[in-house]
Amino acid sequence: MSDETAEPVLLVQDEGPVRVLTMNRPKALNALNHDLTVALSAAIGEAGADDAGAGVVLRGAGRAFCAGYDLNEGADEGLLDAKSWHEGLARSADKMLEILDCPKPVIASVQSYCLAGGTDLMLACDLAVAADDAYFGYVDIRFGSGVVSMFLPWVVGVRAAKEMLFTGEDRISAEEALRIGLVNRVVPRDALDEATMALANEIAKNEPFVVQSTKRAINRVWDVSGFRAAMAANVELDVMIETTNLPARDEFRRITAEQGLKAAIAWRDAKFRAEA
């Protein structure tokens, strides 16, 4: 159940041949917490096994698609050892791969914030339709963290991925996302639901067995190129990042917790100028 509204954290409904999954933590901008990721995992599994369905749409309730992982969850756990970090990061990456491995096409319907883990979630989907008010990006490096699921270079290419991840850019517009191949289509905000469902229904007109086989064939292009090994390697490197003693990172996170992200960025920039 949602910790905000006593409603389910994930709403599930069928619209014709399309299973619609709506993340339902609007006050938290649909940030991914334990309950939501578990619910998504179960719903994706059920949708994939349902012979009556032809596809899945994933969307977010309220004003945003997904603002990333819920940083408030587990904040009181204290320091974690390498084993605990590996278990948590591998579990998160595996949940994203479940979406990629769903037999049915999964389409992300994205409005407003789609950041960090939210961008991972969108990239795990097969297609993405974005509203013209959508913003994408990874702020992870600003917090001294790595990316949980390294889909990005496989979708937009290595150079674009490096620029996004090295800078921590989190204001990539919908039009820029379309230009670099991060999303498939951009539509006006008030047309997002209609446009996403139109795409899903267009796919649903085709023979499901052929669509699903084609999805497996396309995914196999990544697999034979080392995609799974790269994802596993990213988890290992993330563990190294999170368990390394980095005083500047600790100070940045402390300022963020006490004064907000803008104050932490100002501190970081001042530190850079002083050391230049």
Side-chain angles (χ1 to χ4, degrees):
M1 302 297 284
S2 170
D3 53 8
E4 311 163 282
T5 63
E7 295 181 356
V9 293
L10 185 70
L11 305 178
V12 181
Q13 67 184 83
D14 289 327
E15 296 189 16
V18 180
R19 178 70 51 86
V20 179
L21 307 180
T22 304
M23 296 178 286
N24 192 37
R25 301 189 70 217
K27 292 183 180 178
L29 301 181
N30 298 312
L32 297 168
N33 65 359
H34 175 267
D35 289 348
L36 181 52
T37 54
V38 168
L40 274 171
S41 175
I44 286 292
E46 291 169 3
D50 183 359
D51 291 337
V56 180
V57 165
L58 177 61
R59 63 189 185 187
R63 65 188 184 93
F65 175 71
C66 178
Y69 287 99
D70 191 336
L71 300 181
N72 293 319
E73 187 173 67
D76 57 351
E77 291 182 354
L79 294 175
L80 301 178
D81 59 19
K83 180 176 181 292
S84 297
W85 271 113
H86 189 275
E87 290 174 349
L89 290 167
R91 184 167 52 248
S92 295
D94 286 344
K95 294 298 183 188
M96 294 294 177
L97 288 173
E98 289 175 2
I99 298 172
L100 180 71
D101 292 334
C102 176
K104 314 286 178 62
V106 182
I107 305 174
S109 182
V110 181
Q111 80 277 18
S112 187
Y113 297 113
C114 180
L115 303 176
T119 302
D120 284 349
L121 183 62
M122 181 271 296
L123 291 173
C125 299
D126 301 292
L127 303 169
V129 180
D132 54 12
D133 67 347
Y135 284 97
F136 304 85
Y138 285 93
V139 296
D140 308 66
I141 201 165
R142 297 183 185 180
F143 290 91
S145 296
V147 174
V148 176
S149 304
M150 192 58 76
F151 288 99
L152 189 64
W154 296 87
V155 176
V156 302
V158 169
R159 288 198 183 276
K162 285 180 177 179
E163 181 174 352
M164 287 178 64
L165 299 180
F166 292 173
T167 61
E169 176 60 57
D170 64 350
R171 299 290 289 179
I172 295 171
S173 69
E175 290 299 333
E176 177 64 8
L178 180 64
R179 187 188 71 80
I180 65 175
L182 198 62
V183 301
N184 297 91
R185 301 180 181 183
V186 174
V187 299
R189 175 67 183 87
D190 59 5
L192 177 61
D193 290 343
E194 181 181 355
T196 306
M197 291 305 300
L199 177 58
N201 282 312
E202 189 64 28
I203 293 170
K205 295 175 183 177
N206 298 314
E207 169 57 48
F209 176 77
V210 177
V211 172
Q212 293 173 33
S213 297
T214 301
K215 173 173 176 172
R216 287 197 298 271
I218 295 172
N219 285 357
R220 199 162 295 169
V221 173
W222 279 5
D223 288 341
V224 299
S225 300
F227 169 71
R228 309 278 169 165
M231 292 288 279
N234 181 67
V235 169
E236 301 291 339
L237 289 167
D238 266 353
V239 172
M240 182 182 71
I241 290 171
E242 295 294 348
T243 55
T244 299
N245 179 31
L246 299 172
R249 174 178 64 188
D250 295 341
E251 181 65 6
F252 184 93
R253 291 178 175 178
R254 183 192 67 78
I255 295 172
T256 300
E258 295 178 0
Q259 303 174 41
L261 181 58
K262 288 185 178 180
I265 292 174
W267 170 83
R268 180 202 62 182
D269 292 348
K271 181 175 181 293
F272 175 80
R273 289 193 298 270
E275 294 174 350

